[in-house]
Amino acid sequence: MKKAKLILLAGLAIAVSLTGCQKKEVKPGDVAGYDEGEQYLSIWVHSIEDTPEGQVYRESVDSFNEKYNGKYFADIEFIPRNDSGGGYSDKVNSSVLSGGLPDVLTLDGPNVAAYAENGIIQPLAELTEEERGEYLESILDQGTYNDKLYALGVMESSVGLYYKDILEEAGIEVPDADHPWTQTEFMDILKKLKPLMDEKKGYPIDMTFPVGEASIYYYAPFIWANGGNLVSEDGLTVDGYFNSEKNVEVMNYFHQIVENKYMSEAPIENLFESGRAAFKFDGAWEVNTIYENYPDVNLGVAPYVVGDDWDGERYTPTGSWAFAASSETDNIEGATELVKWMSGVESGVRIWNEAKSLPSTYKAFEQINVF
């Protein structure tokens, strides 16, 4: 596998040397608002401009240009992804080969290490301890590769084990984060809830397994908290890891939930929201869905379920789209300023207010009333 990787990298290097760098040169006057004496910064984002997320990026770039008027000018290009995830990624990949990457680009959290390893992005200019301290720890972890910070996210994503006041009716007390339910304890709770949910023509838990990456995103914490893993630490081996005894235990656990009819075998729309499920695993966006469409639902969030031999480590899904400086920028200081601005407090408040995505800085959370 290492040999194949070396051949691939060699092929990329040859392709780049043959095609040469074709980064577009932009002069003052070529773009509205770009004036003499300003340092031009190009930025690509992965969304459509007229979506809520796209509008956030447009407004953040506009406010950056107002803040740094006379010093920097950021020029944003919207390159949406298609339904299969291509489009934007295809554009980035082709530009790696032919040259022409922007100064700053967006990338999804799982791609940070691969982009850094293959020289698509470069480390950001040094941030002060105060600047780093503004960001959630998970955002810094996601953006760090080989002890260097490459990317900062404007949004954070996660998954919650949501519950409703049906638990109080059943006499079930929700634990705090230091004492999560073990798998055995949680299975006993589902068993206790089943007669009550049968009366409501529902199920104890809405736990359908989405198609695609979402199933891994939602439920990998069950594996990690049970002492298992998906791949080896170097990412090259799955045999003995993915099919380990620890992971078999988790898969059997999920099977028992289905077999005991604690969950529906097929997805049922709005099962939890309509009162026909006591629990639900879903993304952080579910909070806003509840507030907007089901104002009478009293929502809570419980800690993720852990293995019976839990060692005290906590696991939860994290990670989302981030901003990074491309390897082709010759203005790493300016690119870093743009990355910090696009992922900072003001942009984070916008990303919640307009797109209902969780922000990435502590101060943004402090400024949003719902939190």
Side-chain angles (χ1 to χ4, degrees), residues 2-288:
K2 289 182 178 179
K3 183 177 179 181
K5 182 179 178 183
L6 289 173
I7 292 172
L8 173 61
L9 292 177
L12 287 173
I14 291 170
V16 170
S17 66
L18 288 175
T19 57
C21 180
Q22 300 175 12
K23 189 168 183 178
K24 179 182 177 183
E25 183 178 350
V26 180
K27 300 177 182 179
D30 291 348
V31 180
Y34 175 35
D35 299 323
E36 193 74 41
E38 293 180 324
Q39 298 178 52
Y40 179 86
L41 296 167
S42 53
I43 176 172
W44 290 355
V45 296
H46 58 279
S47 61
I48 300 172
E49 183 172 4
D50 60 5
T51 62
E53 185 179 349
Q55 282 300 301
V56 169
Y57 298 147
R58 165 57 71 190
E59 291 168 14
S60 292
V61 164
D62 289 346
S63 63
F64 175 86
N65 287 336
E66 183 177 346
K67 167 80 172 178
Y68 289 96
N69 184 36
K71 184 174 183 179
Y72 298 122
F73 177 83
D75 185 18
I76 188 169
E77 183 176 351
F78 296 87
I79 308 168
R81 294 178 295 161
N82 57 35
D83 291 340
S84 62
Y88 179 79
S89 297
D90 295 339
K91 173 77 169 178
V92 172
N93 292 337
S94 64
S95 297
V96 170
L97 294 176
S98 64
L101 286 171
D103 295 287
V104 172
L105 69 158
T106 56
L107 69 162
D108 204 359
N111 293 331
V112 172
Y115 277 33
E117 170 70 19
N118 289 290
I120 299 172
I121 57 177
Q122 61 176 294
L124 298 172
E126 194 69 28
L127 272 65
T128 66
E129 285 302 312
E130 183 178 356
E131 288 173 330
R132 292 177 66 95
E134 292 182 356
Y135 292 90
L136 304 178
E137 184 180 344
S138 58
I139 292 295
L140 295 175
D141 286 346
Q142 170 184 270
T144 300
Y145 178 70
N146 283 347
D147 299 324
K148 294 180 180 179
L149 184 63
Y150 283 83
L152 290 170
V154 65
M155 66 184 82
E156 177 57 293
S157 179
S158 192
V159 175
L161 172 55
Y162 298 105
Y163 67 89
K164 294 188 304 207
D165 45 17
I166 294 173
L167 299 192
E168 187 175 346
E169 182 182 340
I172 296 169
E173 186 174 344
V174 178
D176 60 33
D178 293 324
H179 306 89
W181 286 310
T182 65
Q183 290 182 7
T184 296
E185 290 170 340
F186 191 62
M187 189 72 81
D188 289 342
I189 287 169
L190 297 179
K191 181 179 180 180
K192 184 176 181 179
L193 284 168
K194 190 171 189 313
L196 178 61
M197 300 316 300
D198 284 346
E199 292 176 10
K200 299 177 182 294
K201 300 188 185 307
Y203 297 86
I205 187 168
D206 185 353
M207 195 179 175
T208 52
F209 290 81
V211 175
E213 66 180 14
S215 283
I216 292 290
Y217 188 65
Y218 280 34
Y219 300 119
F222 276 83
I223 286 174
W224 295 323
N226 194 51
N229 217 324
L230 299 171
V231 298
S232 60
E233 190 172 341
D234 61 11
L236 300 178
T237 305
V238 294
D239 191 20
Y241 294 87
F242 189 81
N243 55 352
S244 67
E245 290 184 10
K246 286 290 186 181
N247 289 0
V248 170
E249 290 174 3
V250 172
M251 297 305 118
N252 283 335
Y253 184 77
F254 293 153
H255 183 260
Q256 288 173 30
I257 292 175
V258 177
E259 193 174 52
N260 292 332
K261 301 189 184 306
Y262 298 155
M263 63 172 279
S264 169
E265 291 187 22
I268 299 176
E269 190 172 359
N270 302 324
L271 185 69
F272 176 80
E273 294 84 352
S274 64
R276 296 173 57 210
F279 291 103
K280 180 180 185 179
F281 280 99
D282 209 343
W285 50 88
E286 176 67 7
V287 174
N288 186 61

